[in-house]
């Protein structure tokens, strides 16, 4: 009996608990299916702005990637159509020419790889960069290798401290096939300190020539918030020589004097070929950096100019409208004056008519009175 009573009470409790609605906390809500889920977190204004920025960045990245894929497909289709349009002899000659150019490029890169001017990219600052900045560094290294292919005298290029996320990103771009010395060791373990020349915009020494016995070190640091004196402080700790490009003499704005790694690499390549540093910088540095005023200042001036033009146009339209309204009011006043004159003239005419009527009535009454007098005189007679 006691067991049955316990079972029945347990059943009753279960029924009551199943019928009792679940308690919904303040941070929870019910979805369409009636399930209790957490409320979506209310974002702050800063978080919404960051979310919108990330979405725009992702869209630009996808759009750029799709454009690149489309261009590759168009180039492949154009090449295929061109090859099909050729005769067999022309096709063989075209293939032979492409092989010859590829062999020349391979020979040029191999010569630079073995005996060219040594230039190293020091990538020991990866811990100071976020993931996005490391990816940007990898892309700049890809651009540096592309410059080796384009210009006539390629460097003997080194990438030191080549490890971690940077290594994985570069391998995705085919770094294992590059004619580049990719070393996991840091720069100071690969070369003697007397051979190193750290390139830093904070150095007091201007680079005027390239020494074949030296290794020119470019700081592999991509920082959106520019960190000053990073390379030069490491150079001072190691006790090595420093130099800088004449950016102060060529680029007027201080905020534009921070150059990408591939830009510095191109300047050095052009300087090796021409021997003229200023001309090399003018050819390699983006034109937007050579202006005396920055983009933000120019955009601000453009906005002010546009606003002034809009205000002038609005003022001119307002004056035109007032002039037309005054002209319409003038025409209305002239019309009212003419109508008033007409009214005065008509009233004067009516007055004259009334006076004439009154005069004619007086004359008729006078004639009647004279006739009556004549008749009385005749009766008296």
């Amino acid at each position: 009996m006691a067991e049955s009573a316990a079972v029945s009470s347990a059943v009753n409790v279960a029924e009551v608990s199943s019928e009792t609605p679940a308690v919904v906390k303040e941070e929870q809500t019910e979805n369409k299916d009636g399930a209790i889920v957490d409320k979506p977190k209310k974002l702050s204004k800063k978080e919404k702005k960051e979310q919108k920025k990330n979405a725009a960045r992702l869209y630009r990245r996808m759009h750029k990637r799709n454009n690149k894929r489309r261009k590759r497909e168009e180039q492949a289709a154009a090449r295929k159509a061109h090859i099909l349009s050729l005769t067999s002899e022309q096709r063989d000659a075209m293939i032979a020419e492409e092989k010859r150019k590829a062999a020349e490029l391979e020979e040029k890169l191999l010569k630079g790889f073995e005996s060219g001017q040594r230039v190293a990219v020091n990538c020991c600052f990866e811990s100071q960069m976020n993931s996005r900045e490391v990816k940007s560094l990898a892309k700049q290294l890809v651009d540096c290798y592309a410059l080796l292919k384009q210009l006539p005298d390629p460097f003997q290029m080194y990438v030191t401290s080549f490890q971690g996320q940077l290594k994985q990103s570069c391998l995705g771009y085919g770094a294992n096939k590059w004619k580049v010395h990719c070393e996991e060791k840091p720069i100071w373990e690969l070369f003697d300190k007397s051979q190193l020349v750290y390139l830093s915009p904070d150095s007091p020494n201007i680079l005027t020539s390239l020494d074949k016995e030296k290794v020119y070190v470019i700081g592999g640091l991509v920082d959106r918030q520019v960190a000053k004196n990073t390379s030069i402080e490491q150079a001072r700790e190691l006790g090595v020589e420093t130099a800088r490009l004449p950016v102060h003499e060529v680029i007027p704005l201080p905020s534009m004097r921070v150059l990408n790694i591939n830009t510095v690499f191109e300047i050095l390549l052009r300087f090796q070929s021409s021997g003229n540093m200023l001309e090399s910088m003018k050819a390699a540095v983006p034109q937007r950096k050579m202006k005396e005023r920055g983009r933000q200042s120019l955009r601000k001036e453009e906005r002010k100019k546009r606003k002034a033009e809009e205000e002038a146009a609005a003022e001119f339209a307002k004056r035109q409208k007032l002039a037309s309204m005054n002209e319409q009011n003038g025409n209305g006043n002239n019309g009212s004056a003419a109508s008033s004159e007409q009214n005065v003239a008509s009233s004067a005419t009516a007055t004259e008519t009334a006076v004439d009527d009154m005069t004619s009535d007086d004359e008729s009454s006078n004639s009647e009175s004279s006739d009556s007098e004549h008749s009385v005189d005749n009766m008296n007679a």
Side-chain angles (χ1 to χ4, degrees), residues 47 84 103 105 108 138 141 148 151 196 262 272 277 362 366:
E47 290 174 338
L84 291 175
L105 177 61
K108 181 181 74 170
L141 292 176
L148 289 180
L151 297 178
L196 299 178
N262 56 301
Q272 178 183 240
M277 177 60 78
D362 292 339
N366 291 333

Side-chain angles (χ1 to χ4, degrees), residues 267-318:
I267 291 171
L268 295 177
L269 277 170
R270 292 182 180 276
F271 180 51
Q272 178 183 240
S273 301
S274 65
N276 190 328
M277 177 60 78
L278 294 179
E279 292 298 326
S280 301
M281 290 195 66
K282 289 179 181 178
V285 174
Q287 291 300 314
R288 59 183 174 81
K289 290 182 176 287
M290 307 292 286
K291 296 179 180 179
E292 295 183 358
R293 300 177 63 186
R295 285 183 293 179
Q296 292 184 356
S297 177
L298 293 173
R299 288 174 182 172
K300 188 175 180 180
E301 182 180 354
E302 185 67 24
R303 285 195 296 268
K304 285 184 177 180
K305 184 178 178 181
R306 195 183 304 117
K307 185 177 180 181
E309 290 177 354
E310 290 175 355
E311 289 177 353
E315 184 68 22
F316 179 76
K318 185 178 179 181

